[in-house]
Amino acid sequence: MRIRAFLIISSAAVALCTGAGGQPAAPSEIDAHIAAAKAAAGLEFRGTFMNLCLPGGGPGGGRAGAPGGRGAAAPGAARGANPALTGLLAPRPAPDRATWYASPYKVFDNLYWLGTRQHSSWALKTSAGIIIIDTNFAWATQPEILDGMKKLKLDPKQIKYVILSHAHGDHDQGVATLQSKYGAKVIMGGPDWEDTLKRPAEAAGGVPKRGPGDISVGPEGYKLTLGDTTVNIIFTPGHTVGTLSYVFPVKDKGKTVMVAYSGGTLTGAFGSNAARWDEYIDSQKRIAQAAKDAGASVILSNHSEYDNAYTRARLVAVKREAGEENPFIVGADGVQKYFTVMEECATASKLRNNAK
Ligand SMILES: [Zn+2]
């Protein structure tokens, strides 16, 4: 299976790079980056590898079929285009609940998974309130975030901040509700805030307002401290112009564990825009370094296909045998491998697209 996948990738890469105009990169160079990504991915990060390294991965490609529409995960072709206004925001009915509903799970002492089977939201509980990370589609706000919190005995009135990794509907449609109902302050990358504020009022989930206490994060990043917890927010543009990633501590049976959160993944819309590829690759290096500096041993994302959150969340509930760790812990080396997959696949794809 793995060998077959590799052969398909190799032959496709060869076919593509001979078809590009200008002076295409040598197939061996592309293959070398794909091989490096494949080695780093192993079985652990297979979804990330498949979606980022395979030609056609990304918008419309990769693994399709996520409720709510794949297009919602990666819209917005050109840099500067407003992905928020390209169709994903139109209110749409919730898909058949049998295809997406997942129970909520406490995954660390102070971190709770509130996702659907495809997309994740997280609640980080601190000594001074709750931080919600990403908010999923509007139709998931009540059943997954609010009802999920209730099931886990978390009070939504304690939500102090919502941090959005980026302004795409599959991660941000719930935010306006959390802001207007509970007074949560909203944190977003500056350019994504600007895009969000241009949305029409009838956008799915509504449009959050930017007022006092809401935060626009720029290239310098931001450290959010709430009670006993500090989230180191890293500006990692690429997937969108204002994508954010994070490093923060959680407790596992009392022991501090550092988490790296990868805010945006797909690259399928970059085409031949070298600057955009370079920005994305640079961002991966930056978050990888921050994760390394903090000793992060957990990698989280907002899609279960990248971090297996849905599977891991359920495994947390299973009795841990002696010597077994929390299923979310992949080790510091594992976290670095994840970002190696991101960087190497992007580098291969940039060459394949003959980006200039
Ligand atoms: Zn996205």
Side-chain angles (χ1 to χ4, degrees):
M1 176 69 180
R2 293 175 68 193
I3 291 167
R4 196 171 151 233
F6 182 67
L7 289 175
I8 291 166
I9 293 158
S10 301
S11 54
V14 170
L16 265 178
C17 47
T18 49
Q23 197 61 264
S28 59
E29 196 183 350
I30 295 172
D31 284 349
H33 288 291
I34 290 174
K38 183 170 176 281
L43 291 174
E44 191 85 67
F45 305 121
R46 194 166 44 176
T48 312
F49 173 77
M50 298 290 276
N51 276 354
L52 287 183
C53 260
L54 262 63
R63 209 188 75 177
R70 181 58 164 174
R79 186 189 174 92
N82 185 351
L85 299 174
T86 52
L88 77 155
L89 282 171
R92 60 177 98 188
D96 178 3
R97 185 178 165 104
T99 65
W100 55 266
Y101 181 77
S103 296
Y105 291 92
K106 179 175 181 172
V107 297
F108 285 98
D109 300 0
N110 57 336
L111 186 70
Y112 303 78
W113 182 74
L114 305 170
T116 57
R117 291 175 215 166
Q118 294 80 19
H119 295 89
S120 298
S121 291
W122 307 84
L124 178 62
K125 190 178 171 188
T126 79
S127 60
I130 294 167
I131 300 168
I132 296 288
I133 298 173
D134 284 329
T135 59
N136 218 319
F137 289 109
W139 45 259
T141 306
Q142 188 64 47
E144 298 288 18
I145 297 181
L146 297 176
D147 294 350
M149 290 181 78
K150 196 174 166 194
K151 275 188 193 154
L152 297 172
K153 300 190 176 3
L154 297 171
D155 181 1
K157 291 195 192 81
Q158 293 301 311
I159 301 174
K160 305 296 182 197
Y161 290 96
V162 178
I163 315 178
L164 295 177
S165 61
H166 66 276
H168 282 165
D170 50 343
H171 310 301
D172 73 1
Q173 285 181 1
V175 71
T177 297
L178 299 182
Q179 185 186 51
S180 62
K181 259 181 124 168
Y182 304 106
K185 301 299 179 194
V186 179
I187 303 177
M188 242 190 285
D192 279 27
W193 247 126
E194 300 305 323
D195 276 349
T196 299
L197 294 172
K198 290 177 197 152
R199 288 179 182 175
E202 65 274 19
V207 184
K209 295 179 171 57
R210 186 167 58 183
D214 297 310
I215 294 162
S216 295
V217 179
E220 67 285 357
Y222 186 80
K223 281 196 169 63
L224 173 71
T225 297
L226 183 64
D228 57 1
T229 304
T230 295
V231 179
N232 185 12
I233 301 175
I234 321 279
F235 191 67
T236 53
H239 177 70
T240 64
V241 288
T243 297
L244 301 178
S245 298
Y246 330 113
V247 175
F248 58 88
V250 294
K251 295 272 189 194
D252 182 46
K253 297 184 185 295
K255 198 181 114 199
T256 298
V257 173
M258 296 304 292
V259 173
Y261 188 101
S262 176
T265 311
L266 293 180
T267 56
F270 294 4
S272 59
N273 186 339
R276 192 135 186 227
W277 287 107
D278 291 344
E279 184 176 55
Y280 178 96
I281 291 164
D282 188 53
S283 288
Q284 302 321 310
K285 289 186 171 139
R286 200 154 350 103
I287 178 63
Q289 187 62 48
K292 192 175 187 177
D293 293 346
S297 60
V298 173
I299 178 76
L300 297 182
S301 132
N302 35 33
H303 289 261
S304 271
E305 64 194 296
Y306 301 130
D307 61 2
N308 297 311
Y310 176 46
T311 303
R312 291 186 205 273
R314 286 178 291 163
L315 283 175
V316 172
V318 176
K319 179 177 171 283
R320 227 184 275 181
E321 302 297 348
E324 279 190 328
E325 290 203 283
N326 183 301
F328 278 94
I329 295 177
V330 296
D333 186 47
V335 171
Q336 293 303 309
K337 282 179 176 169
Y338 179 86
F339 291 115
T340 298
V341 176
M342 302 270 280
E343 187 184 331
E344 291 290 351
C345 286
T347 305
S349 301
K350 179 190 170 191
L351 293 169
R352 187 190 289 140
N353 281 283
N354 199 18
K356 296 224 167 42

